[in-house]
Amino acid sequence: MRSIVGDLLLLRLGDASDGPMNQRLYRAIREAILDGTLPGDTRLPATRDLAAELGIARNTVVHVYAQLQAEGYTRSRQGNGTFVTASVPDAYLATGRSRRHQGSGPSGPVLSERGAHIVDRVSASPYQWGAFMPGVPDVTEFPHRKFGRIFSALWRKPAPELLTYSYGGGLPALREVLAEHLGLTRSVDCDPEQIIITEGSHQAIDLATRMLGASGDIAWIENPGYWGARTVLRANGVRIEPQPVDEEGMLLPSAAEAISTPPKFIFVTPSHQYPLGTVMSLARRRQLLALARRWGSWIIEDDYDSEFRFSGRPISSLQGLEPDAPVIYLGTFSKTLYPGLRVGYLVLPKHLAAAFQAGHAELYREGHLMTHAALAAFISEGHYAAHIRRMRMLYGKRRAILVNLIERRLGPQWLHRDSSEAGLHLILNLPEDLDDNAVVDVARARGVLTRPLSRYYAGPEPARHGLLLGYACVPESQIARKFEILLDSLNEVARRGERA
Ligand SMILES: Cc1ncc(COP(=O)(O)O)c(C=O)c1O
């Protein structure tokens, strides 16, 4: 007979596409502790029993229990078993508690299967500001006075059209300046009518998936890849098939190779592979476009941070490479301005634009036109391009300081060499068997934020362990001090012998 804890974990383990069993079990127990499903003092089943209940090796359970204990989530009482620690630190519990309150009431879980699936494997972090949080620009450098002046001028006498419901994919003035900007800086080939302004990339992926996909369709995503795309596609019933990446980008079958069911969507980050940083080669881009045309697939090109390239020439978009390419291009202001703005955009093939505009209005009801108007003025007055230029210099300097520290204090082999000199983060390689989740937890307890590379992998391939280190949001004066804390955390985990 299965125990209640065994049943709960079975529900939360996910499947092989969620990674190796030891990571899935570790995550399932840790998240159940954090969201309060396994409260303090709960006794976990004996390792032999749990292994039998879940049909997995006992060693896997032993290893996971040891890791949870080392991180303070559980403790063992001599001869009595393993128990959830009575007091998990509050900071860890904060998000979990609110999740539990949304998810279940006194009569048990109320979430649908889809809802449970969405929150079972949460990747969005509650920690978003501080060294070395990846993917976060330096929001303190945003020229808020200039933006504020533009905004206040608009608010002095707001046009009624800017305050009512909107229709048509965002303010035309913003789509116009954006089409020009994207053409100049990213070789994106489009008219303003092909652009839809969204509330960031998640909404853009959601709209594209709903408008073009059906439940059961297949999506190829890069492995490792962006968790946000994976979450939104899966929430719409799309089956994920992770594809490995090499130094030229997503690995693709040759034209002669037979594919039983071709993908409906192919999600790629060609200008700066997320998170490894590779640039997709021209040959691979051509191959991808040819396969997508043959299969009738849609390429979703996520061009999230390509404005920040610190050496060499800018990389052109895939969208502009061939006329009528089957590409849906995504961009965002989250990295160039600030993530809280929640403004992104889609560039669609011409024949899809009208249907997507209607779908966007039906699904999400549009608004934020005052923000669109302020952004349009900010771009057309030259402030946007100037801000990007200034940030490029700043981030390039911060990156160089961090690279230098890594090479001096750890050695060049710790620096992931595929990562191009671009973007807002780099990858620190960890020795093969050092657990990146453990390092992240120890560093966070000491006030330094990073994200574990292994978390970005899906599928049965063993995940590589490493750390995503964001340098953009760390003032130069703090980089060395924060890096020392990170080194201490690495040493601490190595000393404890926590292995991946
Ligand atoms: C690969 C990738 N795409 C897109 C985004 C931006 O998403 P949004 O526009 O929703 O802020 C991010 C942010 O972290 C990202 O890492």
Side-chain angles (χ1 to χ4, degrees), residues 135 199-202 226 269 274 302 304 331-332 334-335 339 342-344:
E199 290 205 18
S201 309
H202 281 220
Y226 181 42
T269 46
Y274 190 80
D302 182 7
Y304 61 104
T332 180
S334 291
K335 314 296 175 186
R342 302 312 308 136
V343 181

Side-chain angles (χ1 to χ4, degrees), residues 386-402:
H387 179 60
I388 290 175
R389 274 197 304 275
R390 198 165 70 80
M391 291 301 101
R392 196 180 293 133
M393 301 277 290
L394 193 73
Y395 299 159
K397 226 190 285 170
R398 292 176 182 181
R399 180 188 164 87
I401 295 173
L402 184 58

Side-chain angles (χ1 to χ4, degrees), residues 2-14 24-25 27-39 42 44-45 50 53-54 84 104 109 120:
R2 273 209 306 267
S3 61
I4 293 175
V5 175
D7 274 349
L8 170 89
L9 295 178
L10 210 54
L11 270 177
R12 292 182 168 215
L13 271 184
R24 283 155 56 201
L25 181 61
R27 274 198 303 267
I29 300 179
R30 191 172 75 145
E31 278 163 17
I33 293 173
L34 292 180
D35 69 16
T37 313
L38 292 179
T42 304
L44 297 184
L50 188 60
E53 287 180 38
L54 302 179
V84 175
S104 59
D120 255 3

